[in-house]
Amino acid sequence: MSLWNRAQQLPPDDLRRVQGIYGEQFPIEVRHYLAGWIEDKMQQWNEIDPDNPSHSQYAQSLVSQLIQEIENKALSYANNEDLFLVRMRLDEAATSFKTRYLNSNPLGLVGIIRQCLNTEHNLVQQNENMLGGSVPHATNMVVEPCAEIEQELRILHERTRETANELRHLEQEQESFALQYHDCAKINAHLSHIQSQERTQQNREMEQSLRRRKELGEQQLAQKVSGLLQLRMALADKHKGTIDRLNSLQQRILDEELINWKRDQQMHGNGKPFNQNNWDQIQEWCEALAEIIWLNRHQIKECERHQTKIPIAPPGGVDMLPTLNSHITRLLSSLVTSTFIIEKQPPQVMKTNTRFTATVRLLVGGKLNVNMTPPQVRVSIISEAQANALLKNDQMNKGEQSGEILNNTGTMEYNQGTRQLSVSFRNMQLRKIKRAEKKGTESVMDEKFSLLFQSQFSVGGGELAPLQVWTLSLPVVVIVHGNQEPHAWATVSWDNAFAEQGRIPFTVPEKVPWPQIADMLDTKFKAATGRGLTEDNLKFLAGKAFRNPQVQDFTNMMLSWSQFCKEPLSERNFAFWEWFFAVMKVTRGHLRPQWNDGSIMGFVGRRQAEEMLKNSKSGTFLLRFSDSELGGVTIAWMYEDTTKACQRDVFMLQPFTSKAFAIRPLADVIADLNYLLYLYPNVPKDQAFGKYYTPQGEQQPTTNNGYVKPQLKTHVPGWSGDPMDSYPNTPQTIYGGMGGPPSVSSNPSDCVSTVPTYNECEYDPWRTCSEADFPDMNFDFSSDQLHEASVKFWKYVHRHL
């Protein structure tokens, strides 16, 4: 909304103050009727310093333009009797500005106008702040881009109304010319008739009178011809100026605002917040453009029709109208084809034989009556090479596609309430896909496709030739199995984050600066889990991605696509992205609340966790993402054996995975393990995780069918201090003789069975005991025999306990 429109909505007292700042020096009529032009020149008013004499010439030029605009505005009201007083007031203002300011003091008028605008702006801003409204940010009255577009649209609407008035005036002048020409023709015919009669005195006098009337009529016709030519040329020049402004504004809306919206839509594929409602604003702009273009095109065609009626050749024989008509028709065609957009993108990781949806929309469909002949839209899938060829040639070879899509046609419908012409595909399904030949280390998850939406529009009730339109979806990776999903999302995420505008489909950089990678990872993790990554998290991820955690500053380092998702991490058989994706997935699916409240440290290495815990009191623990297990979460804790002097060590449970959390939630696992007392650094575990415990009331001891319902509980076999460690001959220490912090089993099946079997445990208590612990037993047997004995022992425990 313009500043002047907002000022008119002020409360009565403030509105009177606005009225009071305008007077004879700068009449309020000028402010009102030239509001669009004045605010359009806001930057120029601000650039001139009224106290700087060197700006005088610049000020004089601007004041001269203002006077010209006032005079043009007054002239446009010449035939409107209702605006007679307004026209007089504007003429007076133009004369006053000429005599008082133009040559003698242009800086003075600029100073007055600046003061009025700034006072007006301050009043508006104060009022909107009091109401809690949002005020467009303005620095020295520089108008925001959206306001600039709206101002330009108002100017173009006003120019279109002015040329419509001038066209009517031209039509009246042509009608007057036609009548006068007809009168002259009658005089000539009468004169010819008199000359053929007997030369009497009366006839001679009549002939002389007719000759005088003929000469006068021919003079008037000559003047009319000159006037018509001037009107036609002035109108053509005005139309040319309007078309130039339309072209500039349309480029801005389509090449900046619409492209930026599409870019935001692509970044939304990576989880960046996205304002869908911007479509409505862009549609309003595009519809306004369509209306202005259509009206001006109609006016130009009317000018051509009038010119056909009275074919007067312009000076030099150059007729501007065909060129103007061609130019404005191209503008209309470009607007229609550019506003055929995908409102809801199809999934970027697409699995074959799986249903998916998409929605396409024509932003100017309602204004141009496209819905009068409802267009059909057809969807096909094409390869990267085919998309490249399409952009070069602006057309597809008939029948060329890279797969088969079911339910791929639909009819666009117009919704009167939302003023949207669109079609939603709700049951599409990709049945087949034809892949390109792979090169080098390429895989099917590196290959990108795109969905092509095609249609044909009849604009303006068929007045123009049908327009062939098409648009491409964001890049799509096709998979056939769920295990391909991580790599496919790597391809999509890299493309979404680092695609450049105007690229060759679907080219992306091979290397990217780490800060951009970090921003992408943070955005995706926040979208998936609800909380983003800290600087420490990102530093840890950088060390892992570059395989060098010792580096302190990664700001200027470039990470390659291969390092990102191809090359395995050190001493691992999976790549960085595969590890990160698994972490993100397990956090989203099972750990979201604890991650959001900061209970899960997560991104910390094994050695760093040991350093953090080694000076903590016994029972202090933290949760970290496993380095060795995809999607694994391990519990590291400090334990001090009070029965032995100086016996302190950090222990780590074998990583839990999604399967384990599906059986027993993380909070309940922590509640089960009595030796976990404090969440690092010193938060009682019940305070940190108590709100996530499964209420005991939800676990009924019996069921309706009479069976006793078992209660699952996590148990680490062989760990001292656990009340369940009361089995005969079970060792009470599990770290004797081991080097470094031990790992203790937390296999999912441990949660199901009260006492796990040997095969279910990573750690075998028998192997950590010496003969001194069991003096009556014979240890003189092979490792295979030891293994067999251990299995038998655990089976015995199962049967008898």
Side-chain angles (χ1 to χ4, degrees), residues 675-705:
Y675 37 82
L676 303 182
L677 303 176
Y678 308 100
L679 179 65
Y680 183 86
N682 192 26
V683 180
K685 76 172 180 181
D686 289 343
Q687 178 180 330
F689 294 96
K691 53 184 173 291
Y692 306 120
Y693 295 161
T694 301
Q696 291 297 319
E698 295 182 7
Q699 300 183 3
Q700 300 297 330
T702 61
T703 62
N704 294 333
N705 58 13

mmCIF file of all heavy atoms in Angstrom, residues 675-705:
data_model
loop_
_atom_site.group_PDB
_atom_site.id
_atom_site.type_symbol
_atom_site.label_atom_id
_atom_site.label_comp_id
_atom_site.label_asym_id
_atom_site.label_seq_id
_atom_site.Cartn_x
_atom_site.Cartn_y
_atom_site.Cartn_z
ATOM 1 N N TYR A 675 22.437 -47.386 37.310
ATOM 2 C CA TYR A 675 23.746 -46.765 37.533
ATOM 3 C C TYR A 675 23.915 -45.491 36.718
ATOM 4 O O TYR A 675 24.932 -44.812 36.811
ATOM 5 C CB TYR A 675 24.882 -47.744 37.210
ATOM 6 C CG TYR A 675 24.590 -48.627 36.032
ATOM 7 C CD1 TYR A 675 24.797 -48.169 34.745
ATOM 8 C CD2 TYR A 675 24.082 -49.911 36.211
ATOM 9 C CE1 TYR A 675 24.504 -48.965 33.657
ATOM 10 C CE2 TYR A 675 23.783 -50.707 35.130
ATOM 11 C CZ TYR A 675 24.000 -50.237 33.855
ATOM 12 O OH TYR A 675 23.708 -51.025 32.781
ATOM 13 N N LEU A 676 22.952 -45.139 35.861
ATOM 14 C CA LEU A 676 22.961 -43.844 35.187
ATOM 15 C C LEU A 676 22.230 -42.861 36.091
ATOM 16 O O LEU A 676 21.018 -42.978 36.318
ATOM 17 C CB LEU A 676 22.276 -43.933 33.824
ATOM 18 C CG LEU A 676 22.846 -44.952 32.832
ATOM 19 C CD1 LEU A 676 22.081 -44.860 31.515
ATOM 20 C CD2 LEU A 676 24.333 -44.727 32.610
ATOM 21 N N LEU A 677 22.959 -41.894 36.631
ATOM 22 C CA LEU A 677 22.391 -41.008 37.652
ATOM 23 C C LEU A 677 22.245 -39.562 37.209
ATOM 24 O O LEU A 677 21.247 -38.913 37.517
ATOM 25 C CB LEU A 677 23.271 -41.060 38.907
ATOM 26 C CG LEU A 677 23.477 -42.454 39.513
ATOM 27 C CD1 LEU A 677 24.437 -42.372 40.689
ATOM 28 C CD2 LEU A 677 22.144 -43.067 39.934
ATOM 29 N N TYR A 678 23.256 -39.046 36.479
ATOM 30 C CA TYR A 678 23.257 -37.615 36.149
ATOM 31 C C TYR A 678 23.550 -37.427 34.655
ATOM 32 O O TYR A 678 24.524 -37.980 34.140
ATOM 33 C CB TYR A 678 24.332 -36.861 36.956
ATOM 34 C CG TYR A 678 24.262 -37.105 38.437
ATOM 35 C CD1 TYR A 678 25.134 -38.018 39.037
ATOM 36 C CD2 TYR A 678 23.328 -36.451 39.228
ATOM 37 C CE1 TYR A 678 25.084 -38.258 40.401
ATOM 38 C CE2 TYR A 678 23.265 -36.678 40.590
ATOM 39 C CZ TYR A 678 24.144 -37.584 41.169
ATOM 40 O OH TYR A 678 24.085 -37.827 42.512
ATOM 41 N N LEU A 679 22.701 -36.641 34.006
ATOM 42 C CA LEU A 679 22.997 -36.260 32.623
ATOM 43 C C LEU A 679 24.075 -35.190 32.647
ATOM 44 O O LEU A 679 23.982 -34.209 33.407
ATOM 45 C CB LEU A 679 21.739 -35.716 31.935
ATOM 46 C CG LEU A 679 21.918 -35.254 30.488
ATOM 47 C CD1 LEU A 679 22.279 -36.425 29.585
ATOM 48 C CD2 LEU A 679 20.661 -34.553 29.970
ATOM 49 N N TYR A 680 25.107 -35.386 31.863
ATOM 50 C CA TYR A 680 26.237 -34.451 31.843
ATOM 51 C C TYR A 680 25.754 -33.005 31.631
ATOM 52 O O TYR A 680 24.877 -32.767 30.799
ATOM 53 C CB TYR A 680 27.216 -34.852 30.730
ATOM 54 C CG TYR A 680 28.458 -33.994 30.659
ATOM 55 C CD1 TYR A 680 29.566 -34.303 31.445
ATOM 56 C CD2 TYR A 680 28.517 -32.876 29.840
ATOM 57 C CE1 TYR A 680 30.702 -33.516 31.389
ATOM 58 C CE2 TYR A 680 29.638 -32.083 29.785
ATOM 59 C CZ TYR A 680 30.731 -32.403 30.563
ATOM 60 O OH TYR A 680 31.854 -31.619 30.523
ATOM 61 N N PRO A 681 26.254 -32.038 32.420
ATOM 62 C CA PRO A 681 27.330 -32.190 33.405
ATOM 63 C C PRO A 681 26.855 -32.617 34.792
ATOM 64 O O PRO A 681 27.550 -33.305 35.504
ATOM 65 C CB PRO A 681 27.940 -30.783 33.455
ATOM 66 C CG PRO A 681 26.794 -29.874 33.136
ATOM 67 C CD PRO A 681 25.929 -30.619 32.155
ATOM 68 N N ASN A 682 25.619 -32.237 35.202
ATOM 69 C CA ASN A 682 25.213 -32.568 36.570
ATOM 70 C C ASN A 682 23.704 -32.437 36.731
ATOM 71 O O ASN A 682 23.224 -31.868 37.702
ATOM 72 C CB ASN A 682 25.945 -31.650 37.567
ATOM 73 C CG ASN A 682 25.796 -32.141 38.987
ATOM 74 O OD1 ASN A 682 25.596 -33.329 39.213
ATOM 75 N ND2 ASN A 682 25.867 -31.228 39.947
ATOM 76 N N VAL A 683 22.933 -32.957 35.758
ATOM 77 C CA VAL A 683 21.474 -32.859 35.824
ATOM 78 C C VAL A 683 20.920 -34.223 36.221
ATOM 79 O O VAL A 683 21.192 -35.222 35.538
ATOM 80 C CB VAL A 683 20.885 -32.438 34.458
ATOM 81 C CG1 VAL A 683 19.361 -32.329 34.544
ATOM 82 C CG2 VAL A 683 21.500 -31.128 33.997
ATOM 83 N N PRO A 684 20.161 -34.312 37.329
ATOM 84 C CA PRO A 684 19.580 -35.612 37.698
ATOM 85 C C PRO A 684 18.779 -36.181 36.529
ATOM 86 O O PRO A 684 18.036 -35.470 35.859
ATOM 87 C CB PRO A 684 18.667 -35.260 38.884
ATOM 88 C CG PRO A 684 19.263 -34.018 39.469
ATOM 89 C CD PRO A 684 19.829 -33.250 38.304
ATOM 90 N N LYS A 685 18.936 -37.481 36.297
ATOM 91 C CA LYS A 685 18.340 -38.050 35.086
ATOM 92 C C LYS A 685 16.818 -37.966 35.097
ATOM 93 O O LYS A 685 16.192 -37.809 34.047
ATOM 94 C CB LYS A 685 18.808 -39.485 34.884
ATOM 95 C CG LYS A 685 18.167 -40.533 35.783
ATOM 96 C CD LYS A 685 18.593 -41.924 35.338
ATOM 97 C CE LYS A 685 17.968 -43.018 36.212
ATOM 98 N NZ LYS A 685 18.394 -44.357 35.796
ATOM 99 N N ASP A 686 16.217 -38.052 36.278
ATOM 100 C CA ASP A 686 14.759 -37.942 36.331
ATOM 101 C C ASP A 686 14.293 -36.547 35.961
ATOM 102 O O ASP A 686 13.215 -36.367 35.382
ATOM 103 C CB ASP A 686 14.252 -38.294 37.729
ATOM 104 C CG ASP A 686 14.390 -39.783 38.029
ATOM 105 O OD1 ASP A 686 14.560 -40.555 37.061
ATOM 106 O OD2 ASP A 686 14.338 -40.168 39.215
ATOM 107 N N GLN A 687 15.120 -35.566 36.277
ATOM 108 C CA GLN A 687 14.781 -34.194 35.892
ATOM 109 C C GLN A 687 14.879 -34.014 34.378
ATOM 110 O O GLN A 687 14.062 -33.319 33.771
ATOM 111 C CB GLN A 687 15.724 -33.213 36.599
ATOM 112 C CG GLN A 687 15.489 -31.755 36.238
ATOM 113 C CD GLN A 687 16.456 -30.834 36.961
ATOM 114 O OE1 GLN A 687 16.899 -31.125 38.076
ATOM 115 N NE2 GLN A 687 16.820 -29.732 36.331
ATOM 116 N N ALA A 688 15.874 -34.649 33.772
ATOM 117 C CA ALA A 688 16.084 -34.511 32.328
ATOM 118 C C ALA A 688 15.127 -35.375 31.524
ATOM 119 O O ALA A 688 14.618 -34.948 30.479
ATOM 120 C CB ALA A 688 17.533 -34.860 31.977
ATOM 121 N N PHE A 689 14.863 -36.605 32.007
ATOM 122 C CA PHE A 689 14.104 -37.553 31.180
ATOM 123 C C PHE A 689 12.784 -37.988 31.800
ATOM 124 O O PHE A 689 12.020 -38.715 31.173
ATOM 125 C CB PHE A 689 14.954 -38.797 30.908
ATOM 126 C CG PHE A 689 16.162 -38.532 30.057
ATOM 127 C CD1 PHE A 689 17.402 -38.297 30.632
ATOM 128 C CD2 PHE A 689 16.051 -38.510 28.681
ATOM 129 C CE1 PHE A 689 18.513 -38.046 29.851
ATOM 130 C CE2 PHE A 689 17.163 -38.258 27.889
ATOM 131 C CZ PHE A 689 18.396 -38.019 28.477
ATOM 132 N N GLY A 690 12.503 -37.546 33.026
ATOM 133 C CA GLY A 690 11.306 -38.018 33.724
ATOM 134 C C GLY A 690 10.025 -37.773 32.959
ATOM 135 O O GLY A 690 9.109 -38.613 32.963
ATOM 136 N N LYS A 691 9.959 -36.628 32.282
ATOM 137 C CA LYS A 691 8.714 -36.308 31.559
ATOM 138 C C LYS A 691 8.502 -37.207 30.347
ATOM 139 O O LYS A 691 7.412 -37.193 29.752
ATOM 140 C CB LYS A 691 8.728 -34.847 31.115
ATOM 141 C CG LYS A 691 9.928 -34.408 30.324
ATOM 142 C CD LYS A 691 9.856 -32.917 30.026
ATOM 143 C CE LYS A 691 11.119 -32.378 29.366
ATOM 144 N NZ LYS A 691 12.272 -32.363 30.290
ATOM 145 N N TYR A 692 9.541 -37.957 29.964
ATOM 146 C CA TYR A 692 9.407 -38.841 28.804
ATOM 147 C C TYR A 692 9.216 -40.313 29.200
ATOM 148 O O TYR A 692 9.048 -41.165 28.326
ATOM 149 C CB TYR A 692 10.639 -38.721 27.904
ATOM 150 C CG TYR A 692 10.947 -37.309 27.481
ATOM 151 C CD1 TYR A 692 12.161 -36.702 27.804
ATOM 152 C CD2 TYR A 692 10.015 -36.562 26.762
ATOM 153 C CE1 TYR A 692 12.441 -35.403 27.408
ATOM 154 C CE2 TYR A 692 10.281 -35.260 26.372
ATOM 155 C CZ TYR A 692 11.504 -34.692 26.702
ATOM 156 O OH TYR A 692 11.775 -33.406 26.320
ATOM 157 N N TYR A 693 9.267 -40.630 30.504
ATOM 158 C CA TYR A 693 9.081 -42.011 30.921
ATOM 159 C C TYR A 693 7.672 -42.482 30.577
ATOM 160 O O TYR A 693 6.712 -41.719 30.660
ATOM 161 C CB TYR A 693 9.285 -42.163 32.433
ATOM 162 C CG TYR A 693 10.679 -41.878 32.929
ATOM 163 C CD1 TYR A 693 10.917 -41.601 34.281
ATOM 164 C CD2 TYR A 693 11.779 -41.886 32.074
ATOM 165 C CE1 TYR A 693 12.188 -41.336 34.757
ATOM 166 C CE2 TYR A 693 13.059 -41.618 32.547
ATOM 167 C CZ TYR A 693 13.252 -41.337 33.893
ATOM 168 O OH TYR A 693 14.514 -41.075 34.345
ATOM 169 N N THR A 694 7.563 -43.768 30.224
ATOM 170 C CA THR A 694 6.242 -44.349 29.993
ATOM 171 C C THR A 694 5.554 -44.542 31.341
ATOM 172 O O THR A 694 6.101 -45.210 32.226
ATOM 173 C CB THR A 694 6.366 -45.696 29.285
ATOM 174 O OG1 THR A 694 7.033 -45.508 28.037
ATOM 175 C CG2 THR A 694 4.982 -46.313 29.042
ATOM 176 N N PRO A 695 4.374 -43.943 31.542
ATOM 177 C CA PRO A 695 3.690 -44.073 32.843
ATOM 178 C C PRO A 695 3.412 -45.532 33.181
ATOM 179 O O PRO A 695 3.003 -46.321 32.325
ATOM 180 C CB PRO A 695 2.384 -43.295 32.624
ATOM 181 C CG PRO A 695 2.668 -42.364 31.488
ATOM 182 C CD PRO A 695 3.643 -43.083 30.608
ATOM 183 N N GLN A 696 3.630 -45.885 34.441
ATOM 184 C CA GLN A 696 3.438 -47.274 34.860
ATOM 185 C C GLN A 696 1.982 -47.691 34.734
ATOM 186 O O GLN A 696 1.670 -48.843 34.499
ATOM 187 C CB GLN A 696 3.908 -47.451 36.318
ATOM 188 C CG GLN A 696 5.406 -47.327 36.494
ATOM 189 C CD GLN A 696 6.157 -48.413 35.741
ATOM 190 O OE1 GLN A 696 5.739 -49.570 35.733
ATOM 191 N NE2 GLN A 696 7.261 -48.043 35.098
ATOM 192 N N GLY A 697 1.065 -46.757 34.872
ATOM 193 C CA GLY A 697 -0.358 -47.081 34.790
ATOM 194 C C GLY A 697 -0.766 -47.602 33.442
ATOM 195 O O GLY A 697 -1.800 -48.257 33.306
ATOM 196 N N GLU A 698 0.045 -47.294 32.401
ATOM 197 C CA GLU A 698 -0.292 -47.743 31.065
ATOM 198 C C GLU A 698 0.079 -49.207 30.839
ATOM 199 O O GLU A 698 -0.289 -49.799 29.842
ATOM 200 C CB GLU A 698 0.402 -46.864 30.023
ATOM 201 C CG GLU A 698 -0.090 -45.421 30.038
ATOM 202 C CD GLU A 698 0.577 -44.597 28.961
ATOM 203 O OE1 GLU A 698 1.311 -45.192 28.150
ATOM 204 O OE2 GLU A 698 0.373 -43.370 28.944
ATOM 205 N N GLN A 699 0.853 -49.775 31.777
ATOM 206 C CA GLN A 699 1.284 -51.159 31.616
ATOM 207 C C GLN A 699 0.427 -52.050 32.524
ATOM 208 O O GLN A 699 0.686 -52.192 33.718
ATOM 209 C CB GLN A 699 2.771 -51.301 31.964
ATOM 210 C CG GLN A 699 3.667 -50.446 31.071
ATOM 211 C CD GLN A 699 5.132 -50.633 31.374
ATOM 212 O OE1 GLN A 699 5.503 -51.434 32.219
ATOM 213 N NE2 GLN A 699 5.971 -49.892 30.673
ATOM 214 N N GLN A 700 -0.631 -52.623 32.018
ATOM 215 C CA GLN A 700 -1.554 -53.457 32.793
ATOM 216 C C GLN A 700 -0.915 -54.823 33.083
ATOM 217 O O GLN A 700 -0.358 -55.447 32.194
ATOM 218 C CB GLN A 700 -2.856 -53.652 32.010
ATOM 219 C CG GLN A 700 -3.577 -52.346 31.698
ATOM 220 C CD GLN A 700 -4.030 -51.627 32.949
ATOM 221 O OE1 GLN A 700 -4.317 -52.262 33.952
ATOM 222 N NE2 GLN A 700 -4.061 -50.300 32.897
ATOM 223 N N PRO A 701 -1.021 -55.291 34.338
ATOM 224 C CA PRO A 701 -0.405 -56.587 34.675
ATOM 225 C C PRO A 701 -1.077 -57.765 33.991
ATOM 226 O O PRO A 701 -0.466 -58.770 33.739
ATOM 227 C CB PRO A 701 -0.551 -56.668 36.196
ATOM 228 C CG PRO A 701 -1.718 -55.759 36.513
ATOM 229 C CD PRO A 701 -1.675 -54.669 35.494
ATOM 230 N N THR A 702 -2.392 -57.647 33.736
ATOM 231 C CA THR A 702 -3.098 -58.735 33.060
ATOM 232 C C THR A 702 -3.885 -58.184 31.895
ATOM 233 O O THR A 702 -4.179 -56.996 31.824
ATOM 234 C CB THR A 702 -4.056 -59.455 34.024
ATOM 235 O OG1 THR A 702 -5.019 -58.493 34.485
ATOM 236 C CG2 THR A 702 -3.308 -60.047 35.196
ATOM 237 N N THR A 703 -4.235 -59.040 30.988
ATOM 238 C CA THR A 703 -5.010 -58.655 29.823
ATOM 239 C C THR A 703 -6.401 -59.253 29.927
ATOM 240 O O THR A 703 -6.694 -60.049 30.825
ATOM 241 C CB THR A 703 -4.323 -59.138 28.536
ATOM 242 O OG1 THR A 703 -4.246 -60.554 28.568
ATOM 243 C CG2 THR A 703 -2.929 -58.553 28.414
ATOM 244 N N ASN A 704 -7.263 -58.883 29.018
ATOM 245 C CA ASN A 704 -8.644 -59.354 29.043
ATOM 246 C C ASN A 704 -8.758 -60.857 28.841
ATOM 247 O O ASN A 704 -9.744 -61.478 29.252
ATOM 248 C CB ASN A 704 -9.461 -58.628 27.969
ATOM 249 C CG ASN A 704 -9.584 -57.143 28.277
ATOM 250 O OD1 ASN A 704 -9.528 -56.758 29.435
ATOM 251 N ND2 ASN A 704 -9.755 -56.341 27.234
ATOM 252 N N ASN A 705 -7.774 -61.455 28.198
ATOM 253 C CA ASN A 705 -7.862 -62.889 27.937
ATOM 254 C C ASN A 705 -7.249 -63.735 29.050
ATOM 255 O O ASN A 705 -7.089 -64.939 28.906
ATOM 256 C CB ASN A 705 -7.211 -63.228 26.606
ATOM 257 C CG ASN A 705 -5.749 -62.786 26.559
ATOM 258 O OD1 ASN A 705 -5.172 -62.446 27.583
ATOM 259 N ND2 ASN A 705 -5.177 -62.804 25.364
#
